[in-house]
Amino acid sequence: MAAPPPFSIDARGATDVGRRREHNEDAYLVDLELALFVVADGMGGHAGGGTASALAVKTIQERIRAARAASPATFASPKAEDAGHFPSVLRLAVEAACRAIFGAAQEDPSLAGMGTTVTAALVVGRTTFLAHVGDSRCYLVRGGRIFQLSRTTRWSTSS
């Protein structure tokens, strides 16, 4: 088991359908054992977005858990030379989630067009590693102040 971070983490998750929609397509993860936190905001309507966000959260958690099991000492006592390992682990987990969502949409035509945003934070030692896809946001609350850590990047194509 990984050593707990040398500071306290206060994390909670909640979703709300809001005023404009009839159903919620969000999923989140608060996994204190892994020190992994994920928010996914599904899109694609009805079952599609909810399926995509749930699949993203599940896949990312499974991949981080597998990476930790394969390299427990690195997660338990990270050294300076391990710093490049964790962004790669988190990136690969998000990429696996993308492949899982695409594969599920290919297998079930009713899920065509589904997708999700993902914002994930992995805390290892005194460092937090972020992965961010889409327009969800990641904030740090410290000392009574709020700091936005992520930035929305939008790509569009035109013909």
Side-chain angles (χ1 to χ4, degrees), residues 10-12 74 82 102 117-119 131 140 159:
D10 186 11
R12 292 173 190 79
T74 303
D82 298 327
F102 182 78
T117 68
V118 169
T119 301
L140 170 67
S159 47

Side-chain angles (χ1 to χ4, degrees), residues 91-106:
R91 178 182 51 81
L92 291 171
V94 172
E95 289 174 353
C98 288
R99 287 190 303 276
I101 292 164
F102 182 78
Q106 295 298 305

Side-chain angles (χ1 to χ4, degrees), residues 18 21 26 41 46 72 79 83-85 95-96 104 106-107 109-110 124 134-135 145 148 152:
R21 294 190 173 85
D26 300 342
D41 182 4
H46 302 292
K79 298 175 180 63
H85 176 72
E95 289 174 353
Q106 295 298 305
E107 290 177 15
S110 72
V124 182
D135 62 358
R145 296 184 60 203
Q148 185 174 337
T152 299

Side-chain angles (χ1 to χ4, degrees), residues 2-81:
F7 49 86
S8 68
I9 296 175
D10 186 11
R12 292 173 190 79
T15 66
D16 184 88
V17 71
R19 296 180 186 176
R20 295 184 185 173
R21 294 190 173 85
E22 295 179 14
H23 63 280
N24 197 336
E25 297 183 338
D26 300 342
Y28 66 88
L29 172 73
V30 175
D31 187 328
L32 293 173
E33 180 186 346
L34 286 176
L36 176 65
F37 310 90
V38 183
V39 174
D41 182 4
M43 55 195 183
H46 302 292
T51 299
S53 62
L55 191 52
V57 166
K58 176 180 178 246
T59 303
I60 292 168
Q61 182 183 34
E62 288 171 350
R63 290 300 179 111
I64 297 299
R65 182 173 282 126
R68 190 177 82 173
S71 197
T74 303
F75 277 78
S77 300
K79 298 175 180 63
E81 61 267 18

